[in-house]
Amino acid sequence: MGRVISSMSMSLDGFVASGDRDPFPETSDAPEDPPGAFVMGRRSYEYCRDGSGPGASVPCFVLTAEPHPAAGDGPFTFVTDGIESAVHRARAAAGDADVGLHGGAAVRQCLRAGLLDELRIRLVPRLLGGGIRLFDHLGTRRVDLERTKVIEGPEATQLRFRVLG
């Protein structure tokens, strides 16, 4: 069974999306193995649904409070019964491949539920000054990380952590 992995670019001041909620621009320092499925929130779905996002060719499980009229549209399955169900379904769809998370909300929900296996941050030397922070609203659960790799590149420094416990 694959791992549940978050791989996101983040500004030095901790933002993963700008103030206008656009996703932070990706960097290209090192290629990643593509996941076998994605779990994402509704904002990520809106960004990815036209086929330009990272989930265009694999099953995507969209976290939502209510079913979407486009249910069954392309690779997207809307999940209304929580993060645990979405991750379970994504793991089944991915088989032995990893499950990727798209969007800060999905990452935070997985962290709170203890479902995240690996956290990959591409730390970009830029200060956005506002937007959506990755680690806001995690609740009171302490999350311990073990640094497994640091990769310095011209556009970003990649930090990789295994989530402990």
Side-chain angles (χ1 to χ4, degrees), residues 70-131:
D73 183 23
F76 301 101
T77 300
F78 293 84
V79 180
T80 59
D81 54 346
I83 188 68
E84 291 86 357
S85 175
V87 168
H88 176 75
R89 293 169 76 176
R91 280 191 157 152
D96 290 334
D98 293 331
V99 171
L101 300 177
H102 191 277
V107 174
R108 286 187 294 276
Q109 288 181 51
C110 277
L111 274 170
R112 281 193 301 263
L115 298 171
L116 187 64
D117 297 310
E118 187 174 332
L119 181 64
R120 298 175 180 176
I121 302 289
R122 288 180 298 280
L123 193 57
V124 178
R126 187 175 305 150
L127 301 173
L128 292 181

Side-chain angles (χ1 to χ4, degrees), residues 2-18:
R3 300 163 295 165
V4 176
I5 296 175
S6 167
S7 183
M8 299 184 76
S9 292
M10 183 170 69
S11 67
L12 193 57
D13 52 352
F15 295 101
V16 294
S18 64

